[in-house]
Amino acid sequence: MSLLRYSFVWVCLCLLFSATHLQAQTTATITGIVSDSVGRPIENASVTWIGGTERVFSNAQGRYTIQIPAGKDITLVYQFVDCREQQRTINLPAGATQSINVSLRSKNSTTKATEIYGDRKGEFGTTLPPLRFQNLPAPSQDISAYLRFVGATSNNELSSQYSVRGGNFDENLVYVNDIEVYRPFLTRAGQQEGLSFTNVDMVESIFFSAGGFEAKYGDKLSSVLDIRYRRPRHFAGVFSASLLGGSVEVEGLSKDMRFSWMLGIRQKSNRYLLKSLDTEGDYTASFTDIQTLLTYDLTENWQLNYLGNYAVNKYRLVPQTRETEFGTLNNALRFTVFFDGQEINSFQTAFNALSLDYSNNRDTRWKFSVSSFYTSETETFDVQGQYYIDQLEADFGKPTFGQVAFNRGVGTFINHARNYLDAYVTNVEIKGWKIDSLNNWTWGMRGQNERIYDQLSEWNFVDSSGYSIPYYPLTSLDLQDVVKTKANLFSYRAMAYIQYKREFMLADSSVLGLTVGVRGNWWSFTNQTLISPRAQLYWKPRWDSRLTLKAAGGVYSQPAFYRELRGFDGKINDQIKAQNSYHILVGSDLDFKAWDRPFRFIAEAYYKALTNIIPYEVNDVRIRYFGQNLANGYAYGLDLRMNGEFVKGTESWVNLSLLRTREDLTNDDYFLYLNSDGDTIVPGYTLNNTPTDSILQSPGFIPRPTDQLLTFALFFQDYLPKFPKFKMNLGLILGTGLPFGPPTRERYKAVFRMPPYRRVDIGFSYQIIDPEKPLDSSKTFRFLKSLWIGAEVYNLLQVNNTISYYWVKDVTGRQYGVPNYLTNRQLSVRLIARF
């Protein structure tokens, strides 16, 4: 019996081998890469052959493999959404293998010089081509500089942080190759910030959504930035240098094309810029990072990837003097400070991610990843300042106009901090994709562990004319903003999502696309479980294929990470709940031609209902939360954006955003009471100590810290018609003033508005080496493919933009809000070489 069983198995194996061998003798194999018109791999491109039933899809690197009948002419068909179909006819002998790489061109692209970028089909978001912004004039060559032209808001050229549609800096998701990355915790000011995680020289594509994004993205309230690093196809690199630092990126591919590598090193120093600030002193600002991406094809179906980053940011300031003039023409003041002491900050971060990708090159893909993030941050300073507040002469007729008329007050302040934070975040994640000609399924699960060790010790002291402020006679000195605490947080998170996408062809030949999904999130610290359904819908009418109408809605919940847990006293609130935002969006995309050149116009209107808000105050880039769910609110607005060839052969962008966002805090009622003279109403006590003659005031809905009514952004490119190698790049940002108030932690007092933010940066560049006209092989620099040199002027109009206020008092209790200005006009030069 045993012999019979073995014989049966042997016969089956022989039959299987014979069938496989027979198939090999009757089929051939085609493999290759599908890319777009500028060489970026296209994922999920369809590959089939006329008359056949087999259809495969390209993977994340654009690779595909398909079996075709041997010994006869076969026409391969390559297709992708919004791209022109490509066909290739081939005849291969049995068992042969051949590589065919195909480039698919956008249906909207009409010239070789440029291809118009906009939303991914039916999504609320924009795809940005990084190389188009290589000459963007900005102090920081960072992704955030690009986002200002597609709906994000940043009123600080020294910072890489941005807000989106009324949210704050902590409400934005950032992914690099499907891995979430994080921002520093302790940064107070833009000049302390170093380099953001993303290395622009390594980027293949950028997708940014300002709201209404899909369920596959994480749990934040405002936006998502999805960045893809490219896979090299040959040895290449780029080198850039300016007065603000430099970078070098090198990449290559092995001879068997199975192993690829990228290495990027960046160094940045803000010292040149910081010299233009009002505070004079010895600035040492050095920011360095090294980043690598390694990819190895284990087999035709399995791929191993490693992404690593290590960054060291050091900032030291020994302030000497500061002189700031502020006020109005009729009430001009001067704030003068003489400093002692220093500030030393250090931020070290390490990021590692290892992923294993599987693709059957047809319809299924899996990704298994493990990642870790570590940050060690120190913030130490002891700074003493002796200040003078002087009234300036405002009478034009006097010879002393603009000089000090008299002194309003003198005083001393001391700022002290010894803050240390170490954070470890570890993730294990699995993602899956199942795609066929009709259906697109995406799912994933993620486990996360967080370990945070935080030690805070900081206080301020203000003395005016020999009196401690606030002044309490016969009592001890009073320190302000005292925080002394230690916190250790150890917690787990579990997240999962599933998403379905499909496109329907309606009876009238119009196209309807639907994406639905749901996310789940659980956090051990609060034991709160969140369910977030989301949906997107788009319609391309038959009567105008250039037009897309779209709508989206869903629940976007953001569990606290760490900073939201910590109140002004430094204590952790273990009863905190996740903040919620309910998005409703409608929009349209229109591709059109003007002056026989391509353009795209995008309009999006949105409304967000906000619940369980954790209020906060912003000073520069430092966010200080109240540490409690104290408010509900809303945000609504309109974004209008157009990009295209305003000048033939170059792409420019213009964006106009309108926003209104408010919040209503619970238990923020206060009393006004009559003064002793009986006719003057001044602020009174809080509810727990009601005065006799009082008027109850309820602030109701008040502006949120990011309430900016209007923002206008323009990125414009031009060149000399007869000398196209000479180019001009202009970046213009205009934003109305943000709300602010005295640092009393009473939000209803933030009724003032900063001056509008106005900034123009301009750059002029010359292309010495054109990649379409390489140097002769006998030339010394023949290895260079492209070489640009340029000059840039930052803050061309010399506008004193205000980022925050420093508040001082005199002994009478009168407060003065002294503006902290950003950088003045600066000139820089830049060199970009590609090889």
Side-chain angles (χ1 to χ4, degrees):
M1 190 66 181
S2 177
L3 180 61
L4 180 62
R5 184 184 297 114
Y6 289 144
S7 300
F8 176 75
V9 173
W10 178 253
V11 170
C12 289
L13 291 174
C14 290
L15 291 175
L16 180 62
F17 175 77
S18 299
T20 305
H21 182 70
L22 180 62
Q23 182 184 13
Q25 295 302 315
T26 59
T27 62
T29 302
I30 302 294
T31 185
I33 296 176
V34 183
S35 60
D36 62 14
S37 59
V38 292
R40 297 187 302 268
I42 296 178
E43 184 178 5
N44 297 328
S46 168
V47 183
T48 186
W49 48 279
I50 296 177
T53 58
E54 183 177 15
R55 180 188 298 268
V56 300
F57 295 88
S58 58
N59 63 15
Q61 288 72 43
R63 297 180 180 273
Y64 73 94
T65 301
I66 188 172
Q67 304 290 329
I68 63 172
K72 62 179 181 179
D73 290 340
I74 296 296
T75 300
L76 295 168
V77 180
Y78 300 83
Q79 297 172 318
F80 188 67
V81 174
D82 284 343
C83 288
R84 297 189 179 104
E85 179 184 289
Q86 294 282 347
Q87 295 186 1
R88 297 288 190 273
T89 300
I90 193 170
N91 189 325
L92 293 178
T97 299
Q98 183 165 328
S99 177
I100 298 180
N101 297 331
V102 174
S103 176
L104 299 182
R105 193 174 183 81
S106 170
K107 291 179 181 178
N108 301 315
S109 182
T110 57
T111 68
K112 183 178 180 180
T114 185
E115 180 176 328
I116 300 304
Y117 284 77
D119 72 314
R120 297 196 302 204
K121 191 172 183 180
E123 293 189 41
F124 281 87
T126 301
T127 300
L128 297 172
L131 289 180
R132 299 284 166 80
F133 292 90
Q134 67 176 354
N135 292 322
L136 177 67
S140 176
Q141 295 301 307
D142 189 83
I143 294 291
S144 62
Y146 310 158
L147 301 184
R148 295 181 300 175
F149 304 100
V150 292
T153 301
S154 176
N155 289 357
N156 188 346
E157 66 271 9
L158 294 174
S159 172
S160 61
Q161 307 305 321
Y162 56 90
S163 60
V164 178
R165 293 178 177 175
N168 67 36
F169 310 142
D170 293 330
E171 298 176 7
N172 306 309
L173 284 162
V174 180
Y175 291 91
V176 174
N177 285 14
D178 296 321
I179 307 296
E180 184 177 355
V181 298
Y182 304 89
R183 62 182 292 258
F185 292 86
L186 295 182
T187 306
R188 288 176 182 256
Q191 58 260 37
Q192 299 172 358
E193 280 192 21
L195 298 156
S196 69
F197 182 92
T198 307
N199 188 328
V200 179
D201 294 331
M202 301 172 69
V203 170
E204 173 186 86
S205 65
I206 305 168
F207 173 74
F208 175 71
S209 175
F213 44 88
E214 298 177 350
K216 67 181 180 180
Y217 295 116
D219 300 288
K220 291 291 181 74
L221 298 180
S222 295
S223 73
V224 62
L225 178 63
D226 189 359
I227 296 169
R228 293 281 176 178
Y229 283 176
R230 64 182 175 273
R231 182 170 186 182
R233 297 187 180 181
H234 49 75
F235 178 78
V238 58
F239 168 80
S240 65
S242 73
L243 296 181
L244 303 178
S247 67
V248 60
E249 184 271 332
V250 185
E251 60 189 60
L253 183 67
S254 64
K255 291 183 179 180
D256 60 3
M257 302 182 68
R258 296 179 63 182
F259 175 71
S260 63
W261 56 275
M262 298 178 70
L263 177 66
I265 301 175
R266 297 179 293 171
Q267 202 284 329
K268 174 185 174 182
S269 174
N270 283 338
R271 187 171 185 175
Y272 176 67
L273 279 177
L274 300 181
K275 289 181 179 180
S276 67
L277 297 178
D278 285 347
T279 300
E280 297 181 0
D282 182 13
Y283 288 92
T284 302
S286 178
F287 315 117
T288 307
D289 88 333
I290 181 171
Q291 194 163 158
T292 185
L293 175 64
L294 309 176
T295 303
Y296 182 69
D297 292 330
L298 301 173
T299 67
E300 182 180 337
N301 304 106
W302 291 91
Q303 184 182 92
L304 189 65
N305 297 275
Y306 170 75
L307 175 64
N309 174 274
Y310 178 72
V312 178
N313 302 330
K314 294 183 178 181
Y315 175 82
R316 180 176 180 266
L317 168 61
V318 181
Q320 297 172 356
T321 62
R322 168 179 173 170
E323 185 175 287
T324 302
E325 294 185 358
F326 63 103
T328 63
L329 183 63
N330 295 325
N331 186 28
L333 300 173
R334 177 180 293 166
F335 179 65
T336 306
V337 188
F338 298 93
F339 293 101
D340 293 301
Q342 65 177 345
E343 175 182 351
I344 300 176
N345 299 323
S346 174
F347 305 88
Q348 297 185 53
T349 61
F351 177 87
N352 294 278
L354 186 67
S355 64
L356 182 65
D357 286 43
Y358 168 80
S359 173
N360 66 0
N361 294 324
R362 289 179 174 84
D363 59 359
T364 303
R365 181 185 166 209
W366 291 89
K367 184 168 187 173
F368 310 88
S369 61
V370 179
S371 63
S372 67
F373 169 78
Y374 167 70
T375 180
S376 178
E377 306 177 13
T378 63
E379 179 185 48
T380 60
F381 54 80
D382 285 292
V383 176
Q384 175 181 281
Q386 293 82 35
Y387 66 86
Y388 300 82
I389 302 175
D390 297 316
Q391 182 79 45
L392 302 183
E393 179 60 62
D395 189 345
F396 284 101
K398 293 185 177 180
T400 57
F401 172 75
Q403 301 178 18
V404 175
F406 59 90
N407 178 264
R408 280 186 172 271
V410 297
T412 300
F413 63 82
I414 301 175
N415 298 328
H416 165 89
R418 293 293 185 274
N419 299 331
Y420 307 93
L421 183 141
D422 291 282
Y424 306 81
V425 181
T426 306
N427 287 282
V428 178
E429 188 170 13
I430 179 173
K431 293 183 178 182
W433 294 261
K434 180 73 174 179
I435 303 171
D436 57 35
S437 57
L438 295 176
N439 307 295
N440 186 331
W441 287 94
T442 308
W443 62 89
M445 294 182 295
R446 174 176 160 191
Q448 180 170 301
N449 170 246
E450 299 158 6
R451 292 170 293 159
I452 299 175
Y453 308 95
D454 189 17
Q455 178 178 337
L456 292 175
S457 176
E458 60 180 65
W459 50 263
N460 301 324
F461 172 75
V462 179
D463 173 84
S464 179
S465 298
Y467 295 94
S468 173
I469 304 296
Y471 173 53
Y472 299 113
L474 303 179
T475 63
S476 61
L477 294 179
D478 185 73
L479 301 179
Q480 295 87 50
D481 300 324
V482 178
V483 180
K484 286 186 176 293
T485 184
K486 291 183 179 181
N488 297 329
L489 180 64
F490 188 89
S491 64
Y492 294 94
R493 299 179 195 260
M495 292 154 274
Y497 69 88
I498 185 170
Q499 179 176 293
Y500 174 73
K501 182 182 295 186
R502 182 168 179 175
E503 191 174 79
F504 302 89
M505 183 69 70
L506 304 182
D508 63 350
S509 298
S510 60
V511 177
L512 181 69
L514 175 66
T515 301
V516 293
V518 63
R519 289 190 63 86
N521 186 300
W522 172 81
W523 189 22
S524 65
F525 185 75
T526 60
N527 199 30
Q528 184 181 16
T529 301
L530 303 169
I531 303 297
S532 304
R534 304 172 188 177
Q536 294 80 31
L537 182 72
Y538 69 88
W539 178 53
K540 295 182 73 71
R542 179 187 61 83
W543 41 269
D544 192 345
S545 60
R546 304 172 305 163
L547 177 66
T548 301
L549 303 176
K550 55 189 181 181
V555 180
Y556 297 81
S557 299
Q558 180 170 330
F561 187 67
Y562 174 68
R563 301 198 321 165
E564 300 94 321
L565 298 173
R566 196 176 68 189
F568 289 103
D569 58 1
K571 296 181 180 179
I572 301 298
N573 178 14
D574 59 3
Q575 301 299 314
I576 205 81
K577 299 296 182 183
Q579 302 180 87
N580 301 310
S581 179
Y582 302 89
H583 292 201
I584 300 176
L585 303 94
V586 294
S588 65
D589 305 331
L590 177 64
D591 297 317
F592 65 97
K593 285 188 176 182
W595 309 295
D596 199 31
R597 297 195 290 270
F599 287 85
R600 170 164 288 176
F601 177 75
I602 300 174
E604 295 179 4
Y606 59 90
Y607 178 85
K608 299 192 289 187
L610 309 173
T611 62
N612 285 339
I613 294 175
I614 306 173
Y616 61 90
E617 293 181 349
V618 180
N619 186 10
D620 205 320
V621 298
R622 189 191 193 193
I623 300 177
R624 299 194 68 182
Y625 290 92
F626 282 64
Q628 299 181 62
N629 302 101
L630 295 177
N632 295 314
Y634 61 84
Y636 63 87
L638 176 68
D639 285 348
L640 304 175
R641 180 167 60 257
M642 184 166 64
N643 59 294
E645 294 187 32
F646 292 91
V647 175
K648 187 175 182 179
T650 64
E651 186 174 2
S652 299
W653 297 66
V654 59
N655 186 89
L656 175 67
S657 297
L658 301 174
L659 166 68
R660 180 66 72 202
T661 180
R662 296 285 190 269
E663 64 186 9
D664 183 12
L665 277 70
T666 59
N667 298 324
D668 65 341
D669 294 347
Y670 63 95
F671 286 94
L672 295 179
Y673 71 95
L674 296 178
N675 203 357
S676 58
D677 58 13
D679 57 7
T680 302
I681 298 179
V682 297
Y685 306 102
T686 55
L687 285 173
N688 58 2
N689 189 11
T690 307
T692 304
D693 299 321
S694 61
I695 301 175
L696 179 64
Q697 299 290 312
S698 179
F701 283 92
I702 60 177
R704 304 194 74 200
T706 53
D707 181 57
Q708 193 166 24
L709 177 62
L710 182 145
T711 305
F712 177 81
L714 170 68
F715 173 60
F716 181 74
Q717 300 186 88
D718 198 359
Y719 58 88
L720 296 177
K722 294 185 178 181
F723 303 96
K725 292 185 178 182
F726 287 95
K727 294 191 175 184
M728 183 277 296
N729 302 275
L730 176 73
L732 182 151
I733 304 292
L734 171 64
T736 54
L738 293 168
F740 77 97
T744 60
R745 303 174 187 173
E746 296 171 302
R747 285 278 298 111
Y748 67 86
K749 292 185 178 180
V751 295
F752 307 106
R753 290 279 174 170
M754 294 183 185
Y757 181 84
R758 297 153 294 168
R759 185 175 180 89
V760 177
D761 299 320
I762 191 170
F764 302 92
S765 59
Y766 175 69
Q767 188 175 28
I768 300 175
I769 301 177
D770 190 337
E772 297 184 359
K773 297 179 180 179
L775 295 178
D776 186 83
S777 58
S778 62
K779 300 292 185 179
T780 304
F781 297 101
R782 58 186 178 276
F783 61 91
L784 292 178
K785 293 183 178 180
S786 172
L787 181 62
W788 288 86
I789 189 170
E792 299 171 339
V793 181
Y794 306 136
N795 197 1
L796 178 67
L797 302 182
Q798 186 77 353
V799 177
N800 283 331
N801 289 308
T802 302
I803 186 58
S804 62
Y805 286 83
Y806 188 83
W807 294 86
V808 294
K809 291 182 180 180
D810 58 25
V811 71
T812 66
R814 182 174 181 177
Q815 285 187 317
Y816 299 87
V818 182
N820 295 314
Y821 294 127
L822 289 166
T823 57
N824 290 322
R825 184 191 297 129
Q826 294 286 90
L827 174 67
S828 181
V829 293
R830 187 146 59 106
L831 174 74
I832 302 176
R834 298 184 181 276
F835 52 89

